[in-house]
Amino acid sequence: MLKLIDLISREVSGAFSAAGYDEAYGKVTVSNRPDLCEYQCNGALPAAKVYHKPPMAIAEDVAAQLAGNANFERVEACRPGFINLRLSPASLADYLEKMRTSERFGVEPDPAACRMIIDYGGPNVAKPLHVGHLRSAIIGESLKRIFRFFGNDVVGDIHMGDWGLQMGLIIAELRERHPELPYFDEAFAGEYPAEAPFTIADLEEIYPAASAKSKADEAFAAKAHDMTRRLQEGDRGCRALWEHIMRLSVADLKKNYSRLDVDFELWLGESDAQPYIEPMLGIMQDKGLAQRSDGALVVDVSEPEDTKQIPPCILLKSDGATLYATTDLATLLQRMGDYQPGRIYYVTDKRQNLHFEQVFRAARKAGIVPPEVRLDHLGFGTMNGPDGKPFKTREGGVMRLERLIAEITEFVEKKIEDNQVVGDAERPETARKIAMAALKYGDLSNQPTKDYVFDLDRFAAFEGNTGPYILYTIVRIKSILSRAESADALCVRAALSPEEKAMQLVISRLADNLELACRDSAPNLICAYIYELAGAVNKFYHETRILTEPDPEKKAGFLAGIALAKSVLETCIDLLGFEAPDKM
Ligand code: ARG
């Protein structure tokens, strides 16, 4: 379905052409003076130079052509040559009724939609999830839903850090503590126990202990390196321990991410890319791209037009060890082979910008990723505490994700307890939904690349530019609709007040906002849009007696308008990754 602005542009272009001017001048924009008009066309100004006429004369010619056009309530030529437009309430209502009765509100899929892989989340196994992983999960999940909405076939891959030294550290520490375990007995040929000899809580204690020990104790560090090597070479005992670690960690991660309503189609990680490292290095060598530099194997990825220096991408360290870039290049080879995606999209902290620039360039040079496949990296900013530094616990430690979610949920739960609208039975689930809205909207309403300050009081407020305010608006509409007798004859009707028209105009701009949010990977544009819509709905609600309206047709029109607003809001918050309760 055409966007309303394109429909209006078509009418105005037709008028330019009927008046003897090039129709290209008929492009219309949303008015930046909503007090004067709703849409405007400034085409008479550039046309004046070409046709050697005063712009005002052209604007008047065009306005005359539009006189009597049923789409407009008023068309005015204004000095120095603007054409100001007001839609007729009937045609606006018509458009909304089409939206209301179309699938996905008539928003067209992206003609360039393709198969996509989004690499987001990126937790490291056996290390607790912390708020640094939170943004990747929140932004990645929202982008995945937005890309899907526009018809892309999107696969989310969590891409765990599940390989390398961190695993060697854990295994080495386990051996120090429990040398008697069969995993460390090289002569052991039987079956290893099915149950892990540790719990997830043990692991969370073991990893930091081992990591600290390796920094202070060289002999232990050497043992950890040795265990890493043995794991990589396929040692049975190490492999069995690794599998235990993975099983426990993945179960724990699944629990945590599901609390966030974030889910992944693929639970792959760095370990899955290991078989692709040799073939990837082979390609680099065959293409003559791999060079020795101080013993390391590197690919030069600098370009003559670079304004800042891009250092070479390191494939192997001088001791033969693989690095982050090695794994990411191998993963690209794997993904291209397994999924033939048209686009691969990474969501990480912006401190990884250079890493991805190097990896993308190396992959292009080697032909691992052909030119028609898009590679994108969204480097997001930091979530800061009130002191402007990366968010910490009150004691100054790294805030664990679980604890953060628990704190927000508790805070919200107290609030709704005071309000006494939600029954005891629904309270935990309602609190969870509001907490998610507070957390996710608080994050997503910022431009992703910017840092922001986490402020629980502000994010969880029921008024202002917050997630709970949006939910509150939806809940209010739900309550009105539930008190209306019948929803059968709903039909959007011509607006009867400026407030109703204003609400309808915002609804009509859904597609424009979603398209921009998708094009620019900017969930913040959806937040801004629903904030505007919620404001318009609340204004309309305050100015209108909806349920007590005696004229059944008028009443059905009001109800259809707010019901449509509700569906639009619900669709938008779903794209942001949260949902509304029935009461709050
Ligand atoms: N595990 C990494 C980290 O914690 C993020 C992984 C992102 N994805 C990737 N393909 N490099 O920083």
Side-chain angles (χ1 to χ4, degrees):
M1 171 168 151
L2 265 189
K3 291 198 289 289
L4 183 57
I5 193 157
D6 296 332
L7 283 169
I8 304 170
S9 286
R10 205 170 64 183
E11 295 298 315
V12 178
S13 295
F16 266 90
S17 152
Y21 306 105
D22 190 336
E23 61 169 22
Y25 293 110
K27 247 190 104 47
V28 161
T29 55
V30 173
S31 162
N32 49 20
R33 286 289 305 273
D35 52 323
L36 297 179
C37 59
E38 294 152 357
Y39 288 88
Q40 67 188 66
C41 171
N42 301 344
L45 302 171
K49 299 200 180 76
V50 176
Y51 294 98
H52 307 292
K53 271 195 186 176
M56 198 54 194
I58 297 179
E60 275 162 358
D61 287 349
V62 175
Q65 292 294 334
L66 288 169
N69 184 314
N71 290 289
F72 304 107
E73 177 182 64
R74 202 164 76 203
V75 179
E76 261 180 327
C78 293
R79 295 203 167 277
F82 301 127
I83 303 160
N84 289 352
L85 305 159
R86 255 179 213 284
L87 296 182
S88 83
S91 78
L92 177 58
D94 233 36
Y95 186 83
L96 257 70
E97 186 56 19
K98 280 205 196 84
M99 275 181 81
R100 194 179 76 87
T101 50
S102 301
E103 210 180 311
R104 297 151 18 100
F105 310 104
V107 179
E108 292 292 332
D110 181 354
C114 63
R115 172 172 298 171
M116 270 181 86
I117 295 178
I118 306 196
D119 178 319
Y120 71 109
N124 298 313
V125 164
K127 301 188 198 172
L129 278 181
H130 60 76
V131 296
H133 295 111
L134 178 69
R135 293 209 77 193
S136 179
I138 293 179
I139 298 169
E141 180 70 22
S142 176
L143 291 177
K144 183 166 90 177
R145 294 176 184 210
I146 296 169
F147 290 134
R148 269 197 191 142
F149 186 85
F150 281 98
N152 296 280
D153 167 14
V154 194
V155 172
D157 180 5
I158 187 166
H159 200 77
M160 291 175 281
D162 60 356
W163 202 243
L165 185 58
Q166 74 200 60
M167 303 315 248
L169 281 164
I170 296 172
I171 298 174
E173 178 63 17
L174 279 169
R175 182 179 177 149
E176 303 267 288
R177 296 184 188 192
H178 302 287
E180 75 289 353
L181 289 173
Y183 309 93
F184 305 116
D185 176 1
E186 277 169 49
F188 184 80
E191 285 233 3
Y192 294 116
E195 282 291 306
F198 42 76
T199 64
I200 188 78
D202 295 335
L203 280 181
E204 288 180 359
E205 179 264 321
I206 290 172
Y207 174 77
S211 167
K213 195 194 275 184
S214 75
K215 285 185 190 115
D217 178 346
E218 261 179 51
F220 179 75
K223 284 183 199 162
H225 278 286
D226 185 48
M227 281 302 170
T228 312
R229 184 186 51 76
R230 281 165 64 170
L231 173 65
Q232 289 178 342
E233 285 169 359
D235 175 274
R236 252 185 97 230
C238 286
R239 185 79 204 178
L241 278 174
W242 178 84
E243 273 160 14
H244 283 315
I245 300 172
M246 287 303 288
R247 252 196 310 277
L248 291 179
S249 299
V250 167
D252 186 59
L253 287 169
K254 286 197 169 156
K255 193 180 77 200
N256 269 290
Y257 281 109
S258 81
R259 271 198 205 129
L260 271 177
D261 285 331
V262 167
D263 70 342
F264 302 93
E265 286 63 44
L266 297 177
W267 282 76
L268 298 177
E270 296 181 1
S271 64
D272 296 284
Q274 299 311 306
Y276 296 84
I277 290 181
E278 278 306 321
M280 182 276 290
L281 293 174
I283 296 172
M284 293 294 180
Q285 250 131 11
D286 292 347
K287 302 238 159 145
L289 295 167
Q291 302 166 346
R292 285 283 161 194
S293 163
D294 293 332
L297 195 66
V298 307
V299 180
D300 177 12
V301 292
S302 64
E303 299 286 348
E305 56 273 15
D306 286 343
T307 50
K308 64 174 194 304
Q309 212 203 329
I310 305 288
C313 181
I314 307 177
L315 301 175
L316 292 177
K317 290 210 292 195
S318 49
D319 63 1
T322 58
L323 288 143
Y324 194 38
T326 325
T327 312
D328 267 331
L329 283 165
T331 304
L332 277 172
L333 190 60
Q334 177 189 18
R335 287 178 176 161
M336 291 310 301
D338 288 355
Y339 302 100
Q340 292 93 40
R343 189 175 180 190
I344 306 177
Y345 199 115
Y346 297 81
V347 186
T348 78
D349 191 298
K350 68 184 169 197
R351 283 173 294 189
Q352 297 192 23
N353 284 357
L354 177 61
H355 164 76
F356 283 103
E357 181 68 47
Q358 291 172 305
V359 167
F360 291 174
R361 287 184 182 198
R364 296 273 191 220
K365 275 188 129 167
I368 293 173
V369 179
E372 65 277 12
V373 174
R374 252 179 101 169
L375 291 171
D376 287 291
H377 172 235
L378 177 77
F380 52 78
T382 313
M383 174 170 131
N384 288 325
D387 57 356
K389 300 210 182 84
F391 192 82
K392 293 261 158 66
T393 59
R394 253 166 265 139
E395 305 79 54
V398 174
M399 177 63 111
R400 298 198 33 189
L401 193 50
E402 261 180 284
R403 179 159 157 209
L404 178 73
I405 297 174
E407 280 187 12
I408 304 174
T409 312
E410 230 170 83
F411 182 88
V412 170
E413 199 158 346
K414 282 214 189 75
K415 263 185 129 138
I416 50 177
E417 210 173 327
D418 295 344
N419 289 359
Q420 296 195 335
V421 187
V422 182
D424 289 348
E426 291 91 58
R427 203 182 302 128
E429 183 53 16
T430 302
R432 197 190 72 86
K433 285 182 177 156
I434 301 173
M436 280 304 120
L439 179 65
K440 293 189 174 188
Y441 190 95
D443 186 301
L444 295 171
S445 54
N446 301 285
Q447 220 172 294
T449 49
K450 296 239 165 86
D451 298 347
Y452 73 92
V453 173
F454 178 82
D455 180 342
L456 185 51
D457 284 313
R458 190 165 69 77
F459 287 7
F462 284 19
E463 305 91 40
N465 190 2
T466 71
Y469 167 69
I470 305 293
L471 298 191
Y472 192 74
T473 307
I474 295 173
V475 166
R476 167 174 273 168
I477 303 174
K478 283 187 182 179
S479 142
I480 303 170
L481 293 175
S482 73
R483 280 180 287 144
E485 304 79 60
S486 151
D488 285 345
L490 290 196
C491 172
V492 182
R493 286 174 209 276
L496 298 172
S497 66
E499 291 77 20
E500 189 177 14
K501 195 173 187 198
M503 177 179 81
Q504 292 186 354
L505 277 170
V506 182
I507 294 174
S508 77
R509 289 172 192 152
L510 170 70
D512 315 60
N513 284 282
L514 292 183
E515 280 177 8
L516 274 186
C518 185
R519 189 196 73 186
D520 297 346
S521 300
N524 56 304
L525 298 179
I526 299 182
C527 293
Y529 172 71
I530 56 178
Y531 181 52
E532 189 189 1
L533 178 54
V537 169
N538 287 313
K539 256 209 189 106
F540 167 67
Y541 166 83
H542 283 296
E543 297 301 323
T544 317
R545 302 174 63 166
I546 300 174
L547 289 171
T548 51
E549 168 58 50
D551 179 332
E553 281 207 355
K554 284 184 186 172
K555 186 168 161 183
F558 293 158
L559 290 170
I562 59 169
L564 177 57
K566 172 178 109 45
S567 314
V568 166
L569 289 170
E570 283 173 334
T571 298
C572 288
I573 64 172
D574 181 58
L575 294 178
L576 298 173
F578 56 92
E579 55 186 335
D582 288 327
K583 284 184 189 163
M584 66 188 270

